[in-house]
Amino acid sequence: PAAARRCRAGRLPTMPLLPDEFAAHPARDASLASMTAIEAGDKDAWLALFADDAVVEDPIGPSPFSPDGLGQRGRDAIETFYDSVIGPNDVSFRIDQSWAAGSEVANVGTITTRMADGTVVHTDGVFTYRVDDDGKVVALRAYWEMDRLRFED
């Protein structure tokens, strides 16, 4: 099937672990589509979620991913972020709480990343999505701290 072809070799599509209460909401729906696309390794599906002028701040502020602290702005920068940070790794999500209001959602949980060298990184944080009237993501912002990452070998 087409979905299986878009996934990383040897990986079947998975679903993020979600809290019991994860009611439909435009921003929450976009966050679920984002997490599902990332877990499946489906770059095209993930990029299709974003408005042309979207911004990804993961994490918010200066970091190795965004030394100037401005995040990745626009589709080309977001694609480069995917290619360098998300794409080379196996990523899964566990969302413990989700709070929606207006055109935004804040998901509280953990992102687990298995890197190519086998290192596993657990990132606890708050991950927010804001969508426009068409349901496209205009802002994805991640609140987490480098010194609070948890590593496994």
Side-chain angles (χ1 to χ4, degrees), residues 104-125:
E104 301 190 42
V105 68
N107 294 327
V108 180
T110 302
I111 299 173
T112 298
T113 305
R114 179 176 299 280
M115 298 183 177
D117 68 359
T119 300
V120 175
V121 181
H122 302 285
T123 307
D124 300 316

Side-chain angles (χ1 to χ4, degrees), residues 36-48:
T36 301
I38 288 173
E39 285 195 3
D42 191 340
K43 173 183 168 178
D44 292 339
W46 190 70
L47 293 173

Side-chain angles (χ1 to χ4, degrees), residues 10-39:
R11 270 198 84 170
L12 296 175
T14 60
M15 283 291 293
L17 295 175
L18 304 173
D20 291 337
E21 181 57 39
F22 204 77
H25 177 279
R28 188 176 283 135
D29 297 346
S31 77
L32 178 57
S34 172
M35 292 182 284
T36 301
I38 288 173
E39 285 195 3

Side-chain angles (χ1 to χ4, degrees), residues 51-125:
D52 290 339
D53 59 349
V55 61
V56 172
E57 296 174 90
D58 185 356
I60 294 169
S63 75
F65 311 129
S66 177
D68 64 6
L70 299 176
Q72 291 70 42
R73 296 179 179 275
R75 284 185 176 271
D76 290 344
I78 292 170
E79 182 173 8
T80 298
F81 176 77
Y82 184 97
D83 290 341
S84 61
V85 177
I86 299 170
N89 303 304
D90 288 327
V91 182
S92 62
F93 297 85
R94 188 192 79 228
I95 302 302
D96 299 317
Q97 297 178 353
S98 181
W99 304 94
S103 62
E104 301 190 42
V105 68
N107 294 327
V108 180
T110 302
I111 299 173
T112 298
T113 305
R114 179 176 299 280
M115 298 183 177
D117 68 359
T119 300
V120 175
V121 181
H122 302 285
T123 307
D124 300 316

